[in-house]
Amino acid sequence: MQTGTIHLVGAGPGDPDLLTLRAARLIENARLIVHDGLVDPAILALARPGARLISVAKQRSKHTLPQEDINALLVREAQAGRDVVRLKGGDPFVFGRGGEEMEAAKAYGVRVEVVPGISAANGAAAASGIALTHRDSASIVSFVAGQCKGLSDQDWAGLAGKGRTLVIYMGVKTAPQIAEKLMADGLAPSMPVAVIENACRPEMRVLRGPLAALPDLVEAEAVQSPALIIIGEVTARENAALEQIAAEVAA
């Protein structure tokens, strides 16, 4: 039997209109879709009638399937001759563990196609009007995972500060440790921060404040995943620009 193909597809930040054409076509024609929990239901609704949808949703310390079992599922289905659309939020290769799934497939001789998607960072920043880079504020952008083993031992020195933007994925539950860590590394408590919840969706919220208040902001506003934390001067540029305009008008 001919082996099927595993398509590692990025579903983008949530809005179906932000899918690539290739991603939309694969979803619409797929007979088997293995999807993450953060894939918006509106995107799954694009699947053809009768398509088999398998959720491998992951939550903090609670996984429907361990990653090794997901790898095995994808390989097993492809070896049975079925094409598989492996649908992931954002981009498959940005904290999506797409690299691990690709390596597992190739180890068994299974063909893999990667379909990139708009990353959660790019989508969230654009939807909230935050330019991750700006000639006057930031020429360096770093992505880090805020929910991982050994967080306190990781070296984040230099990732945030003057002229830099730091984007933190999966940082809602560890916001207190993140704020403490960055301030211990020398980042000013007043450094502007934005928390973007449900980016590119009707219920999107953008919350702003200083780094020192990040834990209280997350708790007081009951922020839930999916959410990103962006740290840097770019998150306050809109307010700064309005203040400058107001000062010029007053003068």
Side-chain angles (χ1 to χ4, degrees), residues 13 18 121-130 196 198-201 204 206:
L18 296 178
N122 289 342
S128 57
I130 296 173
I196 306 168
N198 290 310
C200 303
R201 302 180 186 189
M204 183 180 83
V206 182

Side-chain angles (χ1 to χ4, degrees), residues 53-158:
L53 273 60
I54 301 176
S55 173
V56 289
K58 294 181 179 180
Q59 299 176 1
R60 183 177 174 87
S61 302
K62 183 181 179 182
H63 296 173
T64 303
L65 285 179
Q67 186 61 49
E68 294 76 13
D69 291 349
I70 295 174
N71 298 347
L73 168 66
L74 299 175
V75 170
R76 184 170 62 250
E77 294 291 342
Q79 287 180 329
R82 288 181 279 272
D83 291 336
V84 184
V85 169
R86 175 65 175 106
L87 196 56
K88 297 172 170 290
D91 182 90
F93 283 0
V94 181
F95 298 121
R97 304 189 75 167
E100 297 174 46
E101 294 173 2
M102 181 181 68
E103 292 165 1
K106 288 188 173 182
Y108 285 91
V110 175
R111 182 176 179 273
V112 177
E113 179 194 2
V114 180
V115 180
I118 296 175
S119 71
N122 289 342
S128 57
I130 296 173
L132 294 178
T133 63
H134 192 287
R135 185 174 63 175
D136 297 328
S137 300
S139 59
I140 298 173
V141 182
S142 299
F143 299 157
V144 300
Q147 179 181 311
C148 54
K149 295 179 180 179
L151 176 62
S152 60
D153 297 328
Q154 292 186 39
D155 183 8
W156 288 6

Side-chain angles (χ1 to χ4, degrees), residues 160-164 187-194 209-212 231-235:
K162 186 70 175 178
R164 298 169 183 265
L187 203 60
S190 59
M191 175 61 70
V193 171
L211 176 60
I231 298 173
E233 295 174 350
V234 294
T235 65

Side-chain angles (χ1 to χ4, degrees), residues 159-184:
L159 295 184
K162 186 70 175 178
R164 298 169 183 265
T165 302
L166 179 61
V167 181
I168 302 174
Y169 284 66
M170 303 168 287
V172 171
K173 298 297 183 182
T174 54
Q177 296 93 315
I178 288 170
E180 181 180 356
K181 179 181 184 64
L182 290 172
M183 288 188 290

Side-chain angles (χ1 to χ4, degrees), residues 202-214:
E203 63 272 27
M204 183 180 83
R205 290 196 297 169
V206 182
L207 309 171
R208 289 182 168 88
L211 176 60
L214 174 61

